[in-house]
Amino acid sequence: MKKYLWVLLLLAIALPTAAYDFLRPVKGAIKGGYDFWVYTPTDYFYSLERTPVIIFLHGASLCGNNLNRVRRYGPLDAIVRGREIDALTIVPQNPGGAWNPKKIMDVLDWVKANYACDTTRVYVIGMSLGGYGTMDVCGTYPDRIAGGIAMCGGTSLKDVSGLGKLPFWIIHGTADRAVPISRSRSVVQQLQDTGNDTRLRYTWLQGGNHGTPARIFYMKKTYEWLFSHCLLDKNRPVNKDIDISMGDIQKAYSDIHNGTPDPEIINGPSITTGNEY
């Protein structure tokens, strides 16, 4: 009997694993809340309480009730294609309309109750409609989120002061026709006018369209920047040592093992619907 158990163990070790093996769909777990994916990193059981958490908020083109849609681009797609992201990665699906910050926190609370993780290193990243959601949730709960990146979005918050309380990076393409760059610039200006921008970074991608920032999900330095922040950091300074340029974006897939996403998904109408926000 022991011999067979050893054989089974050796087979389990020898069999190759894929990112799909660590994906779990969670449906109907939160009454009136979002359904979502949870990705468990391969070394999770060795780190447990030291494992950070990333929450990805998608754009309007992925709204609906089919969870597989939210894997078309973003961190989950990057992981499947070979980008190593050593974090519990949460990807909720918005059925439609604006992202609800409270419902996003409900998802985080569910994950915290069911998975060991580092609650001092929770990060939110999103683009377009998800960029709006990222600003809204980070500005509402800056004491729960260690850092955030909002791309080609804006905010529905009347008071944006909360975005000055955590390391926050706003990124937008200057040639974005779906969500004008003025939406992001307005937030930056409000924080600057109130002297609340010491933890703020912003990058304007010259000539970048609405789909351009999607490549940032596939870059190693994106996650290095996020992971460099923690709620326990004294005064919670923003990391200014890591930059993201158009040159970086053009090489976003150069070190990914399993190829690049479909160009239509990254640059075309699959992301840009004309009314993303």
Side-chain angles (χ1 to χ4, degrees):
M1 182 66 178
K2 289 184 178 180
K3 179 180 178 181
Y4 290 116
L5 289 175
W6 273 109
V7 170
L8 289 173
L9 179 60
L10 289 172
L11 283 172
I13 294 173
L15 286 172
T17 58
Y20 296 107
D21 299 329
F22 300 92
L23 278 174
R24 175 188 177 187
V26 181
K27 300 181 180 180
I30 303 172
K31 186 176 180 180
Y34 297 132
D35 292 336
F36 53 97
W37 290 98
V38 178
Y39 166 78
T40 307
T42 54
D43 63 349
Y44 172 71
F45 292 102
Y46 297 98
S47 54
L48 294 176
E49 287 85 0
R50 299 193 304 275
T51 305
V53 178
I54 291 175
I55 302 172
F56 163 61
L57 304 181
H58 62 73
S61 65
L62 304 189
C63 288
N65 297 297
N66 180 354
L67 265 181
N68 285 322
R69 288 177 61 83
V70 301
R71 290 166 46 181
R72 293 188 65 194
Y73 69 87
L76 287 188
D77 185 56
I79 290 167
V80 168
R81 293 180 183 278
R83 171 66 63 218
E84 291 187 10
I85 302 176
D86 294 325
L88 280 172
T89 303
I90 308 171
V91 182
Q93 184 174 36
N94 184 341
W99 283 101
N100 184 309
K102 172 62 167 57
K103 289 184 178 182
I104 295 169
M105 288 297 102
D106 288 343
V107 171
L108 175 60
D109 288 338
W110 187 94
V111 171
K112 286 167 55 179
N114 289 274
Y115 292 83
C117 59
D118 186 348
T119 58
T120 69
R121 294 195 298 151
V122 175
Y123 312 97
V124 183
I125 183 170
M127 69 173 290
S128 195
L129 178 70
Y132 273 77
T134 299
M135 289 201 204
D136 288 356
V137 72
C138 289
T140 304
Y141 300 98
D143 56 332
R144 298 192 63 185
I145 299 165
I149 301 177
M151 299 181 287
C152 57
T155 185
S156 63
L157 296 175
K158 295 181 179 179
D159 178 5
V160 301
S161 61
L163 291 173
K165 297 179 181 179
L166 78 164
F168 200 76
W169 199 343
I170 296 175
I171 302 174
H172 214 124
T174 61
D176 191 330
R177 294 185 178 182
V179 181
I181 192 174
S182 59
R183 306 295 174 86
S184 288
R185 282 178 168 157
S186 175
V187 177
V188 171
Q189 191 66 54
Q190 291 178 67
L191 291 171
Q192 290 176 333
D193 289 346
T194 57
N196 203 15
D197 61 336
T198 58
R199 300 181 180 90
L200 174 69
R201 294 194 64 181
Y202 59 93
T203 299
W204 309 140
L205 302 173
Q206 293 301 314
N209 62 25
H210 191 59
T212 298
R215 295 170 179 255
I216 292 171
F217 295 119
Y218 298 81
M219 296 168 52
K220 182 178 180 180
K221 63 169 56 179
T222 301
Y223 303 99
E224 290 177 341
W225 185 86
L226 288 171
F227 296 155
S228 68
H229 302 100
C230 177
L231 289 178
L232 302 180
D233 293 340
K234 185 177 180 181
N235 297 323
R236 302 184 65 184
V238 63
N239 184 334
K240 295 184 178 180
D241 296 328
I242 295 175
D243 289 315
I244 293 176
S245 67
M246 282 295 284
D248 294 319
I249 289 173
Q250 290 167 359
K251 298 183 294 184
Y253 317 125
S254 61
D255 61 341
I256 292 183
H257 306 301
N258 298 332
T260 62
D262 186 335
E264 182 182 353
I265 293 175
I266 295 303
N267 295 319
S270 296
I271 290 177
T272 306
T273 65
N275 189 23
E276 281 292 290
Y277 54 93

